[in-house]
Structures are given as C-alpha cells and as structure tokens.
Amino acid sequence: QVQLVESGGGLVQPGGSLRLSCAASGFTLDRYALGWFRQAPGKEREGVSCISQSGGGTWYQGSVKGRFTISRDHAKNTLYLQMSTLEPDDTAIYYCAAGRVCSDDRQRYDIWGQGTQVTVSS
C-alpha cells in the first residue's frame, strides 16, 4: 500500500523547535520531488517548502525562510522539516506530499500524507 505518514507534530512554545518526519511505505521517494504544506483553520492549504528529486534544489515560503529547513534521507526513505523559532502563525496541520516537480502548487503532487498537528502557543 502506497502511503506517506507524518510524525513529530505537537504543542510547542513560541521560539521553540520541532522536527517533522514523513516516512514512505509501498514506494520509493527517490523518484519524486517532495513538499510540505500546511493548513490553518479557515484557511487554504499552502505550500511551505519543497525539495527536488535530487535534493539539489529547494524552495521556501517567504514567512518560513531562514527558520525552516527541508531535507531528505534516501536511505531511510524519509522526508524531514526542521522548524525553528516557531511562531503562533505557524500553527496548522502539516502535510507532506510527493510529486514530479518541486512546486508550491498542490495540484503538482500525487501522494499525500494524513497530516500532523503543530500548535505554537504559550
């Protein structure tokens, strides 16, 4: 069964850090560009970051640039998002996705995880 499973979400205070993981099963992430998206209550799902198939290219949404780092581990078939200096506006459900092109357009992605909740609050 082809699936992506996110983990690592939780409650963190402003200024804190979290590392999200996205593990793949039933297929190999090597063939895909990968992305992280998030959806806050009452808002559209938005692109946060993506990484190319080779890992040589990355993109970040302006609000997270310098605070978040995307990476992939081919041996573990896993995608990561290291999040630092978290802010209340980062509160959302975070989703990972696999597609053909590193893009902030969710239509470019074919396989989605179920999401993990990140809450930034004091």
Side-chain angles (χ1 to χ4, degrees), residues 5-54:
V5 179
E6 300 95 337
S7 61
L11 173 64
V12 62
Q13 292 185 340
S17 299
L18 283 174
R19 188 177 80 156
L20 304 183
S21 299
C22 172
S25 61
F27 72 109
T28 302
L29 289 179
D30 287 0
R31 300 181 179 182
Y32 294 86
L34 305 172
W36 285 99
F37 289 75
R38 67 186 181 187
Q39 188 166 17
K43 294 187 177 181
E44 294 282 326
R45 190 173 300 189
E46 62 177 8
V48 174
S49 181
C50 65
I51 187 167
S52 65
Q53 182 180 348
S54 68

Side-chain angles (χ1 to χ4, degrees), residues 4 22-30 73-79:
L4 294 170
C22 172
S25 61
F27 72 109
T28 302
L29 289 179
D30 287 0
D73 187 323
H74 293 280
K76 294 183 178 180
N77 210 26
T78 301
L79 171 71

Side-chain angles (χ1 to χ4, degrees), residues 38-44 88-93 117-119:
R38 67 186 181 187
Q39 188 166 17
K43 294 187 177 181
E44 294 282 326
D89 283 349
D90 296 318
T91 296
I93 299 173
Q117 177 70 48
V118 172
T119 303

